[in-house]
C-alpha cells in the first residue's frame, strides 16, 4: 500500500474512509477496501470481513499484487479470529501477516502484527510471550517512526505493568503522560483517542491501587469513551467492568451494575467470548457482593462456559476465583477446594502472582472447613511466602489472617519459644505491625477481636482491653469510612452523570456537524451529477436525443412520479407534449393552447416563470434563452413528497441545460438544411458542367457524322440520277462505292466515339447522384471522371493525366468518390493556376498495407499560402468569394472522405510549387 495505515483512527476517520470508498472503482478501490476493513475490525467485524472478501476477489480478478496490502488483509482476518477465540488460527494468520509485512518493508505493519500476537499469547496464558511481542512491536514502531504506534504500545506496556508491580510502574511511567494545556506536540498526541484510552486506563488502574477511587473512576470513564471513539471495542468492555469493580469497592453496587450492564450491551452484539465472558464474570461478582449467591453462581458458570475457548486466559482465572468464593459463601468447601486447586494449576503455569497467592489462601480456608488442618497450614504458609516475595502488603495481611485463624482453631504452641504462647497471636501481631507501617491499610475488626481473645486466653487482659478499644475505634473508623465511601460514590456518580451530559452534548454537536457535512457532501455530489448531466444533455444536436437524455436525468435526480415536456408547436399558438410518462408508463401526446387559462403548462409558458402547485407536489418550469421560450418541463411527485428548494434548484438547472441543448439542436437543424441546399446546388452545378462537357465532346463526332451523311446523301441522289439515263459508267459506280465506304467508316468511328463518351458520362452522372455502395474498378472510375471533364480541362489550357494500376478494386461508394475527385479538379482549375498559364494535373494511386489505397491528386500551380493551408477544409472558406468560389467544395470533400468513405484527406503545399491532396482510403468500407 502506498500510504501508511494508521493503527487506530477516530470515528470521523472511518466516516471519511467509507465516503471515499463510495466514489472509487477499479484498481484504486482495493486499497481503500482494505483500509476501511482494518478500521472496522472491532467496530463491525462482519462488515470488515465482507470488505476483505471483496478486496480478495479484486486480487483474484487480476489486480496488481501488493504484499503489504495482502498482509493487512490477513491481519484483519487474524484479529477477527482472535476476537472469536480461535487462537491457533489467529496466531497462524498473524505470523503470516508479519512475514508479509517484513517482505514488503512495512515496519508499521510488523508492529501491528506483533501487537496482535502479544494479545493472542496473553489469552493463551503466555504472559512472558505477550511482553516480548509487545516489546518487538515497539521496536518496529520506532523503525517506522510512527509516533502514534509508539505512544499506544508504550501506554499499553505501562498499563499491563501495573498488574505486576504497581510501584515500579509508577516510578517508570507515572509522569510519562501529563496532558498539558499548551500546544505541545506530545500533549496533542496524548489527546488522540487511541493513546488516551491506554493512558487514562493506566492512570485509573494506578489510582485504584492507591485507593484514590474518585480519580480512578474519572480516568477510567475517560478511557472508556476514548476506547469507543478509536474503535477499541474490546478494551471499552474491559474498562467498563473495571469501573464497576471500583464502584463495588465503594459499596455502590447499583452504579456498579449499571456499568456492568453497559459492558454487556457493548459485548452482546459482538458475540466475542472475551467481551461476553468478562462482562458476565464481573456482573456475577457484583451479585455475590450483594448476597445473591444463586444468581451469581449462574452468571459465573455462564462466563466460564463462554470462556471455554480461552481456558488459559486471565479472564478464566478470574471467573474460577469468583466461583470458588461463591462456593465458600454457600458453605460448599469441597467445590471451593476443587475450584481453587484448578485455579492454582493455571496461575502457576501463567505466573499470575495475585492468583497464586489468592488460590492458596482459598484452599487453606476450604481445607480447614473440611477438617484437614495440616494441609491447610502448609498452603496458607505458601500463600504468605508468595505475598512476601511480591512485597504485596495487603495480601500478606490476608495470608497472616488465614494462618491466625487456622492456629486459633488448633491452638498449637511454638516449640522452644517461651515468649510466644500462641502462634495465632504471632501471626496477628505481625499483621498489626504491617498495617501500622503501611499508610492507608488497617486490620479488619475481626482480626483485632481475634488478637484480643488470644491475649485474654493467655491472661494478658490489659493488652486484650487495649485491643478491644482499638477494635471499637476501627469499627467507628470503618463506619466513617463507609460513610466516606458513600460520599465518594455519590461524587463519582455526580461526575459520571455530568461527564455523560457533556458527552451527549458533544455527540449532539458531532451529529449536527456530521449532518452539515453530509448536506455539503450531498450538495457537492448533486452539483457534480448536474454538471455531468449538463455535459451529456448539451452534447446532443438532435432534438429527440436531447429529450430522451433530459428525461433520464430528471428521473435520476428528482422524484418524478409524472414527467412531461412541452415544446412550442409550429403554429405558434400551442404547446405540444413531446414526452409524457407517469408511473413508468408513457401516455398519449397532448396539445395545449397557449391561451388556455386552465392549463398550468400554458400559464407557465405565458408568464415565463416557475410554478409550484398542489401543496408543492407539482412543479412546472420554463426553458428559456433570454426571454425566448424553448419549452416547459412539468414534474409531479407522490402525495407527501413535496418539492423543496433543492429539488427546485435542480429543476431550474436542468431546464437551463435543456434550453441550451434544444436551441443548439434547432440551430444545427437549420444549418444542416442550409448545407443540404448548398450541396444540392453544388451537385447541380457539377451536373451542369457535366452536361456542357457532354455537349462539347459530342459536338465533333456527331457534326462530322452529319456532314459525311449529308455528303453521302448528295452522292446517292447524283448516282440515282445517272442510273436513270445512259450516262452511268462503271468508273462512276466504283468511285461512289469507294466514297460511300470511306464515309460510312468515318460515320461509324464518330458514332462509336460518341457512344463511348455517352456511356462514361452516364456512369459518372449516375454515380454522382447516388450513394450506393458497390464494388468497382478504381482505374476505370477515375478515367470516367477524367473523360467527363476533358473539355473543361482542355478549354482552360491545362492537362489531366491518370496513372492508376488496373488491378485496384474497391468495395465502397463510387459516387461520393467521384464527387470528391470532381471537387479537387475544380479546385485546381479555379484556384491553382494563374490566368493564361498552362498547367499539369495528375491523379495517381497505390495499394498500401493493410488493405488500403493511397490516392494523390497533384497540380503544378501557384500553391496555397501558409496562412490558408490550415483552413482549406473549413466550410465557406474561399479566396475567390464572388468569383466562382463557394467555400464548400473542399469542406464537402473532407466530410465525405472522413465519414462515408471512412478514410482521411490531407493537403500539403508551398507557394509556387503546386498542391498535393492525399486520400488514404480502405479497400472495403465497414458496414
Amino acid at each position: 500500500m502506498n500510504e501508511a495505515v494508521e493503527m487506530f483512527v477516530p470515528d470521523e476517520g472511518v466516516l471519511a474512509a467509507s465516503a471515499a470508498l463510495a466514489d472509487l472503482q477499479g484498481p484504486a478501490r482495493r486499497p481503500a477496501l482494505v483500509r476501511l476493513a482494518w478500521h472496522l475490525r472491532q467496530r463491525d467485524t462482519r462488515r470488515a470481513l465482507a470488505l476483505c472478501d471483496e478486496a480478495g476477489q479484486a486480487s483474484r480478478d487480476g489486480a496488481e499484487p501488493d504484499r503489504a496490502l495482502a498482509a493487512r488483509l490477513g491481519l484483519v482476518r487474524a484479529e477477527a479470529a482472535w476476537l472469536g477465540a480461535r487462537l491457533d488460527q489467529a496466531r497462524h494468520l498473524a505470523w503470516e501477516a508479519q512475514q508479509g509485512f517484513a517482505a514488503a518493508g512495512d515496519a508499521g505493519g510488523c508492529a501491528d502484527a506483533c501487537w496482535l500476537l502479544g494479545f493472542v499469547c496473553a489469552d493463551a496464558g503466555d504472559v512472558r510471550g505477550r511482553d516480548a511481542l509487545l516489546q518487538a512491536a515497539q521496536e518496529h514502531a520506532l523503525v517506522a517512526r510512527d509516533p502514534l504506534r509508539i505512544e499506544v504500545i508504550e501506554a499499553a506496556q505501562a498499563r499491563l505493568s501495573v498488574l505486576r508491580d504497581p510501584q515500579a510502574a509508577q516510578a517508570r511511567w507515572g509522569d510519562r503522560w501529563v496532558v498539558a494545556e499548551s500546544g505541545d506536540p506530545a500533549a496533542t498526541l496524548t489527546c488522540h483517542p487511541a493513546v488516551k484510552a491506554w493512558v487514562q486506563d493506566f492512570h485509573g488502574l494506578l489510582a485504584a491501587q492507591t485507593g484514590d477511587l474518585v480519580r480512578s473512576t474519572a480516568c477510567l470513564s475517560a478511557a472508556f469513551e476514548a476506547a469507543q471513539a478509536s474503535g477499541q471495542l474490546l478494551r471499552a468492555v474491559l474498562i467498563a467492568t473495571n469501573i464497576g469493580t471500583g464502584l463495588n469497592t465503594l459499596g455502590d453496587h447499583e452504579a456498579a451494575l449499571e456499568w456492568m450492564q453497559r459492558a454487556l450491551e457493548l459485548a452482546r452484539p459482538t458475540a466475542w467470548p472475551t467481551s461476553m465472558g468478562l462482562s458476565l464474570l464481573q456482573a456475577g461478582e457484583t451479585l455475590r457482593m450483594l448476597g445473591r449467591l444463586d444468581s451469581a453462581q449462574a452468571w459465573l458458570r455462564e462466563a466460564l462456559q463462554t470462556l471455554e475457548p480461552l481456558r488459559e486466559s486471565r479472564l478464566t482465572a478470574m471467573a474460577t476465583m469468583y466461583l470458588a468464593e461463591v462456593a465458600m459463601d454457600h458453605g460448599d468447601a469441597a467445590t471451593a477446594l476443587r475450584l481453587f486447586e484448578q485455579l492454582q494449576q493455571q496461575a502457576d503455569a501463567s505466573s499470575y502472582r495475585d492468583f497464586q497467592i489468592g488460590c492458596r489462601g482459598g484452599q487453606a480456608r476450604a481445607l480447614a472447613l473440611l477438617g484437614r488442618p495440616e494441609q491447610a497450614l502448609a498452603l496458607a504458609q505458601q500463600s504468605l511466602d508468595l505475598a512476601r516475595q511480591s512485597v504485596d502488603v495487603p495480601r500478606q495481611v490476608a495470608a497472616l489472617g488465614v494462618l491466625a485463624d487456622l492456629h486459633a482453631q488448633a491452638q498449637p504452641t511454638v516449640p522452644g519459644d517461651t515468649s510466644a504462647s500462641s502462634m495465632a497471636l504471632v501471626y496477628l501481631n505481625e499483621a498489626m505491625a504491617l498495617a501500622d507501617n503501611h499508610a492507608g491499610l488497617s486490620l479488619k475488626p475481626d482480626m483485632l477481636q481475634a488478637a484480643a481473645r488470644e491475649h485474654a486466653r493467655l491472661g494478658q487482659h490489659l493488652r486484650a482491653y487495649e485491643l478491644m478499644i482499638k477494635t471499637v475505634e476501627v469499627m467507628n473508623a470503618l463506619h466513617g469510612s463507609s460513610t466516606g465511601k458513600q460520599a465518594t460514590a455519590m461524587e463519582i456518580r455526580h461526575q459520571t452523570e455530568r461527564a455523560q451530559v457533556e458527552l451527549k452534548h458533544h455527540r449532539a454537536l458531532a451529529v449536527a456537524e456530521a449532518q452539515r457535512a453530509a448536506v455539503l457532501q450531498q450538495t457537492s455530489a448533486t452539483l457534480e451529477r448536474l454538471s455531468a448531466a449538463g455535459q451529456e444533455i448539451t452534447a446532443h444536436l438532435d432534438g429527440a436525443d436531447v429529450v430522451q437524455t433530459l428525461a433520464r436525468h430528471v428521473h435520476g435526480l428528482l422524484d418524478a412520479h409524472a414527467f412531461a415536456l412541452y415544446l412550442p408547436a409550429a403554429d405558434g399558438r400551442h404547446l405540444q407534449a413531446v414526452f409524457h410518462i407517469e408511473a413508468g408508463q408513457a401516455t398519449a401526446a397532448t396539445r395545449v393552447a397557449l391561451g388556455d387559462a386552465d392549463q398550468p403548462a400554458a400559464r407557465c409558458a405565458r408568464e415565463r416563470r416557475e410554478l409550484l402547485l398542489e401543496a408543492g407536489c407539482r412543479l412546472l418550469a420554463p426553458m428559456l434563452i433570454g426571454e425566448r421560450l424553448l419549452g416547459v418541463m412539468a414534474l409531479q411527485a407522490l402525495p407527501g413528497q413535496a418539492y423543496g428548494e433543492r429539488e427546485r434548484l435542480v429543476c431550474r438547472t436542468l431546464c437551463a441545460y435543456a434550453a441550451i441543448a434544444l436551441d443548439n439542436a434547432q440551430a444545427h437543424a437549420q444549418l444542416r438544411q442550409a448545407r443540404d441546399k448548398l450541396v444540392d446546388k453544388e451537385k447541380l452545378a457539377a451536373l451542369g458542367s457535366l452536361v456542357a462537357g457532354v455537349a462539347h465532346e459530342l459536338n465533333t463526332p456527331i457534326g462530322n457524322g452529319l456532314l459525311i451523311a449529308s455528303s453521302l446523301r448528295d452522292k446517292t441522289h447524283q448516282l440515282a440520277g445517272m442510273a436513270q439515263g445512259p450516262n452511268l459508267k462503271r468508273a462512276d459506280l466504283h468511285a461512289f462505292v469507294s466514297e460511300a465506304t470511306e464515309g460510312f467508316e468515318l460515320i461509324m468511328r464518330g458514332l462509336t466515339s460518341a457512344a463511348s463518351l455517352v456511356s462514361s458520362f452516364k456512369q459518372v452522372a449516375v454515380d454522382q447522384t447516388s450513394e450506393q455502395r458497390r464494388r468497382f474498378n478504381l482505374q476505370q472510375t477515375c478515367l470516367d471522371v477524367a473523360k467527363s471533364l476533358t473539355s473543361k480541362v482542355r478549354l482552360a489550357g491545362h492537362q489531366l493525366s491518370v496513372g492508376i494500376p488496373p488491378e485496384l478494386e474497391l468495395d465502397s461508394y463510387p459516387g461520393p468518390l467521384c464527387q470528391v475527385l470532381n471537387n479537387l479538379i475544380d479546385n485546381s482549375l479555379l484556384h491553382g493556376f494563374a490566368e493564361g498559364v498552362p498547367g499539369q494535373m495528375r491523379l495517381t494511386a497505390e495499394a498500401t498495407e493493410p488493405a488500403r489505397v493511397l490516392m494523390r491528386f497533384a497540380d503544378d500551380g501557384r500553391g496555397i499560402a501558409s496562412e490558408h493551408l490550415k483552413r482549406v477544409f473549413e466550410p465557406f472558406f474561399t479566396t475567390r468569394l464572388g468569383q466562382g468560389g463557394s467555400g464548400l467544395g473542399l469542406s464537402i470533400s473532407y466530410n465525405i472522405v472522413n465519414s462515408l468513405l471512412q478514410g482521411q484527406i490531407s493537403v500539403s503545399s508551398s507557394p509556387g510549387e503546386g498542391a498535393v491532396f492525399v486520400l488514404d482510403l480502405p479497400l472495403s468500407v465497414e458496414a
Side-chain angles (χ1 to χ4, degrees):
M1 299 178 73
N2 294 331
E3 299 180 26
V5 179
E6 295 173 89
M7 191 176 190
F8 298 104
V9 297
D11 291 336
E12 54 267 24
V14 179
L15 291 174
S18 184
L21 179 64
D23 297 329
L24 293 176
Q25 298 294 334
R29 182 173 172 81
R30 187 167 180 251
L33 284 168
V34 178
R35 188 181 301 275
L36 183 57
W38 173 249
H39 296 323
L40 290 175
R41 63 191 187 276
Q42 286 194 26
R43 287 178 168 97
D44 189 343
T45 309
R46 291 182 181 177
R47 187 185 175 202
L49 291 175
L51 292 171
C52 286
D53 291 340
E54 184 180 348
Q57 184 60 46
S59 176
R60 290 189 290 273
D61 289 344
E64 185 178 351
D66 186 318
R67 286 184 174 180
L69 198 93
R72 185 67 60 180
L73 271 177
L75 198 59
V76 174
R77 293 191 173 103
E79 185 149 343
W82 168 60
L83 294 169
R86 301 185 301 277
L87 300 185
D88 291 339
Q89 181 186 5
R91 185 181 292 107
H92 173 72
L93 290 171
W95 273 120
E96 283 190 342
Q98 201 276 339
Q99 293 170 0
F101 285 128
D106 187 344
C110 290
D112 296 341
C114 290
W115 167 274
L116 178 58
L117 282 166
F119 287 102
V120 172
C121 283
D123 284 351
D126 184 3
V127 177
R128 292 188 179 89
R130 177 201 67 192
D131 294 342
L133 283 163
L134 287 182
Q135 184 57 40
Q138 182 73 327
E139 292 168 1
H140 285 301
L142 289 169
V143 171
R145 297 180 180 179
D146 189 318
L148 180 62
R149 282 184 170 85
I150 293 170
E151 291 296 313
V152 169
I153 296 170
E154 187 172 358
Q157 291 175 310
R159 192 270 178 202
L160 295 171
S161 72
V162 176
L163 298 174
R164 291 193 302 270
D165 191 339
Q167 293 180 345
Q170 172 66 49
R172 180 176 178 183
W173 283 294
D175 298 326
R176 170 67 174 78
W177 296 282
V178 178
V179 181
E181 295 297 330
S182 65
D184 178 59
T188 303
L189 185 60
T190 305
C191 292
H192 190 289
V195 181
K196 187 176 181 180
W198 286 97
V199 169
Q200 293 291 355
D201 195 6
F202 163 74
H203 286 305
L205 200 57
L206 266 182
Q209 294 289 328
T210 59
D212 189 352
L213 295 178
V214 174
R215 183 169 185 269
S216 173
T217 305
C219 291
L220 292 177
S221 296
F224 173 76
E225 299 298 340
Q228 284 188 291
S230 58
Q232 301 180 78
L233 190 58
L234 185 59
R235 173 71 19 198
V237 172
L238 174 62
I239 294 169
T241 58
N242 285 343
I243 294 173
T245 301
L247 290 168
N248 275 330
T249 304
L250 291 171
D252 191 352
H253 303 303
E254 181 181 353
L257 282 174
E258 289 178 3
W259 277 99
M260 301 303 181
Q261 182 63 31
R262 192 172 300 178
L264 275 171
E265 289 173 355
L266 284 176
R268 279 199 179 96
T270 67
W272 300 333
T274 303
S275 60
M276 281 296 296
L278 175 62
S279 303
L280 289 169
L281 71 88
Q282 292 291 18
E285 174 65 2
T286 303
L287 291 170
R288 184 186 76 82
M289 292 181 176
L290 289 169
R292 300 170 60 179
L293 300 182
D294 292 338
S295 296
Q297 189 177 59
W299 283 60
L300 290 167
R301 285 176 177 171
E302 184 181 353
L304 278 174
Q305 185 178 1
T306 303
L307 292 167
E308 176 60 27
L310 303 170
R311 62 176 64 91
E312 304 300 327
S313 70
R314 180 176 176 85
L315 295 180
T316 302
M318 290 174 63
T320 304
M321 173 72 83
Y322 292 160
L323 195 58
E325 292 295 344
V326 170
M328 287 295 293
D329 291 345
H330 265 304
D332 186 358
T335 300
L337 179 62
R338 176 178 56 80
L339 291 170
F340 280 128
E341 289 173 344
Q342 178 182 329
L343 178 61
Q344 180 180 336
Q345 294 177 0
Q346 182 180 356
D348 290 345
S350 60
S351 301
Y352 291 143
R353 184 55 60 90
D354 53 345
F355 289 132
Q356 289 175 345
I357 298 169
C359 70
R360 283 169 170 80
Q363 287 181 74
R365 290 184 286 121
L367 287 168
L369 291 176
L370 293 171
R372 295 158 62 181
E374 293 181 0
Q375 292 175 291
L377 284 170
L379 286 166
Q381 187 61 49
Q382 291 179 22
S383 176
L384 177 60
D385 293 341
L386 289 171
R388 284 171 174 166
Q389 293 173 15
S390 301
V391 197
D392 190 334
V393 175
R395 287 191 171 87
Q396 287 183 54
V397 171
L400 289 168
V402 172
L403 282 168
D405 286 343
L406 292 174
H407 281 281
Q409 293 173 17
Q411 292 186 356
T413 58
V414 180
D417 188 355
T418 57
S419 63
S421 303
S422 169
M423 280 301 297
L425 195 56
V426 172
Y427 292 124
L428 289 171
N429 287 334
E430 184 179 350
M432 284 188 287
L434 285 171
D436 291 340
N437 294 325
H438 192 279
L441 181 64
S442 61
L443 289 184
K444 295 181 180 179
D446 57 348
M447 292 183 70
L448 292 171
Q449 288 176 344
R453 284 195 301 270
E454 288 300 313
H455 280 288
R457 187 176 64 80
L458 295 173
Q460 300 171 358
H461 300 292
L462 180 59
R463 181 56 179 162
Y465 177 73
E466 291 174 351
L467 288 173
M468 288 302 298
I469 293 175
K470 188 173 183 179
T471 301
V472 173
E473 292 175 351
V474 170
M475 291 179 68
N476 290 333
L478 286 174
H479 178 72
S481 175
S482 176
T483 304
K485 286 182 178 180
Q486 290 179 3
T488 300
M490 289 178 62
E491 183 180 353
I492 290 174
R493 180 172 293 197
H494 174 69
Q495 290 182 355
T496 302
E497 290 174 352
R498 184 174 62 184
Q500 289 176 350
V501 169
E502 292 179 356
L503 178 62
K504 288 180 180 178
H505 174 67
H506 290 306
R507 284 180 176 172
L509 291 177
V511 169
E513 181 64 22
Q515 290 175 345
R516 188 180 71 84
V519 169
L520 290 175
Q521 184 178 0
Q522 183 182 18
T523 302
S524 176
T526 300
L527 290 175
E528 289 179 5
R529 291 184 63 185
L530 277 172
S531 177
Q535 292 177 8
E536 187 175 357
I537 292 170
T538 55
H540 294 290
L541 292 175
D542 181 78
D545 292 339
V546 171
V547 171
Q548 292 293 332
T549 306
L550 174 63
R552 177 161 50 83
H553 283 294
V554 164
H555 286 287
L557 289 164
L558 296 168
D559 178 17
H561 176 71
F563 168 67
L565 190 66
Y566 297 88
L567 300 183
D571 60 10
R573 297 190 302 273
H574 292 82
L575 291 175
Q576 179 70 40
V578 297
F579 189 91
H580 193 185
I581 190 169
E582 185 171 353
Q585 300 295 323
T587 60
T590 58
R591 280 170 70 91
V592 176
L594 281 172
D596 193 338
D598 297 328
Q599 287 291 338
R603 178 185 166 194
C604 179
R606 289 194 309 271
E607 298 179 4
R608 303 290 202 274
R609 68 182 182 89
E610 182 182 289
L611 300 178
L612 191 61
L613 308 172
E614 298 177 12
C617 294
R618 192 173 184 187
L619 178 62
L620 296 97
M623 295 182 289
L624 300 171
I625 297 290
E627 285 298 317
R628 186 159 53 92
L629 181 73
L630 275 298
V632 172
M633 190 165 74
L635 303 170
Q636 186 169 357
L638 292 171
Q641 297 180 356
Y643 293 117
E645 185 57 35
R646 172 189 170 274
E647 289 77 15
R648 295 169 66 181
L649 177 61
V650 170
C651 180
R652 293 186 205 117
T653 306
L654 289 175
C655 283
Y657 286 140
I660 294 170
L662 289 172
D663 190 47
N664 289 342
Q666 292 176 5
H668 181 262
Q670 294 171 357
L671 179 62
R672 185 169 54 193
Q673 291 174 0
R675 185 193 65 185
D676 291 342
K677 289 179 180 179
L678 288 171
V679 170
D680 290 341
K681 289 181 179 179
E682 286 284 324
K683 286 184 177 180
L684 289 173
L687 287 174
S689 177
L690 178 63
V691 171
V694 168
H696 181 78
E697 292 296 327
L698 292 179
N699 184 56
T700 298
I702 293 175
N704 290 337
L706 286 172
L707 179 62
I708 294 170
S710 63
S711 176
L712 286 175
R713 184 186 62 185
D714 292 341
K715 291 289 185 181
T716 301
H717 288 162
Q718 183 181 357
L719 180 63
M722 293 174 66
Q724 296 293 330
N727 298 326
L728 180 62
K729 299 178 181 179
R730 183 181 294 274
D732 294 332
L733 182 61
H734 282 297
F736 173 79
V737 171
S738 177
E739 290 176 359
T741 301
E742 184 179 355
F744 287 142
E745 288 180 356
L746 290 173
I747 290 172
M748 287 299 296
R749 191 181 306 157
L751 291 176
T752 301
S753 177
S756 176
L757 285 171
V758 168
S759 177
S760 295
F761 295 154
K762 181 180 177 182
Q763 183 61 53
V764 170
V766 169
D767 283 342
Q768 286 191 354
T769 55
S770 69
E771 292 186 358
Q772 293 184 354
R773 174 179 174 175
R774 65 180 176 86
R775 192 168 186 84
F776 61 94
N777 183 274
L778 182 62
Q779 182 192 61
Q780 186 60 49
T781 299
C782 293
L783 287 172
D784 290 343
V785 171
K787 284 181 182 180
S788 68
L789 297 175
T790 298
S791 61
K792 180 187 288 189
V793 173
R794 188 169 56 244
L795 287 173
H798 309 302
Q799 292 183 352
L800 172 64
S801 62
V802 177
I804 296 177
E807 68 275 7
L808 283 178
E809 290 193 352
L810 274 68
D811 182 6
S812 186
Y813 298 92
L817 178 59
C818 289
Q819 185 177 354
V820 170
L821 297 177
N822 263 328
N823 290 344
L824 293 177
I825 294 169
D826 285 343
N827 180 72
S828 288
L829 293 176
L830 183 62
H831 301 282
F833 302 106
E835 188 72 26
V837 178
Q840 297 285 335
M841 292 176 288
R842 182 164 179 79
L843 179 61
T844 61
E846 61 177 333
T848 60
E849 295 295 335
R852 300 186 74 83
V853 62
L854 205 65
M855 299 183 67
R856 289 185 177 87
F857 175 79
D859 66 46
D860 59 355
R862 51 191 170 191
I864 303 173
S866 58
E867 64 269 19
H868 297 154
L869 194 62
K870 294 181 180 180
R871 302 186 60 194
V872 294
F873 296 120
E874 293 182 7
F876 307 110
F877 174 75
T878 178
T879 57
R880 300 290 297 274
L881 187 64
Q883 305 175 40
S886 67
L888 281 175
L890 291 182
S891 174
I892 292 172
S893 300
Y894 181 87
N895 291 332
I896 290 173
V897 172
N898 283 272
S899 58
L900 191 62
L901 300 182
Q902 301 176 11
Q904 295 177 344
I905 183 172
S906 60
V907 60
S908 60
S909 177
S910 297
E913 297 183 4
V916 179
F917 289 87
V918 178
L919 281 69
D920 185 1
L921 304 173
L923 292 177
S924 177
V925 297
E926 297 180 359

